[in-house]
Amino acid sequence: MMLQERSLCLSAHDELYVIDLDQVLYLQADDHYTEVFYASGAHFLVPFGLVKIEAQINTLPEARLYLLRLGRKYIVNTYRIFRINITKELLYLTTDEGNSLSLHITKPVLRSLMEYIREQ
């Protein structure tokens, strides 16, 4: 796997996948794959697990500040969070078009996220 400044370049066999980290809304684990969701509404599947992608993100000092692992299933762009509802176990993100999207996340993970955001 190779890295560039604001993107991840992931290679597998004879293919190269480029993930623009500034466009990421969230990443979702899908077995041994990861589905990448952009704020524009675009989404695609890459043949890498979330653990491998997270490890690459963590090597980028700036990206690891706003792309945060939430539980086993998600990495979320914290700049896109506009609401956290612990009671309903929902995290709300905003898209480029101003629409909202909600992700179901457990209460303990949401509580930790709230503490992280307050400390920033």
Side-chain angles (χ1 to χ4, degrees), residues 35-76:
E35 193 159 5
V36 179
F37 292 86
Y38 281 169
S40 65
H43 61 92
F44 54 92
L45 195 66
V46 294
F48 304 95
L50 205 55
V51 170
K52 286 188 177 188
I53 292 176
E54 178 185 24
Q56 294 301 309
I57 289 170
N58 286 336
T59 65
L60 300 171
E62 188 176 324
R64 70 177 181 209
L65 294 176
Y66 68 92
L67 292 172
L68 189 64
R69 179 75 181 256
L70 298 181
R72 298 175 71 193
K73 195 172 182 178
Y74 299 107
I75 294 176
V76 174

Side-chain angles (χ1 to χ4, degrees), residues 12-27:
H13 309 292
D14 292 333
E15 293 184 289
L16 178 69
Y17 298 85
V18 180
I19 301 173
D20 183 346
L21 298 177
D22 290 333
Q23 296 298 316
V24 169
L25 184 60
Y26 68 97
L27 299 113

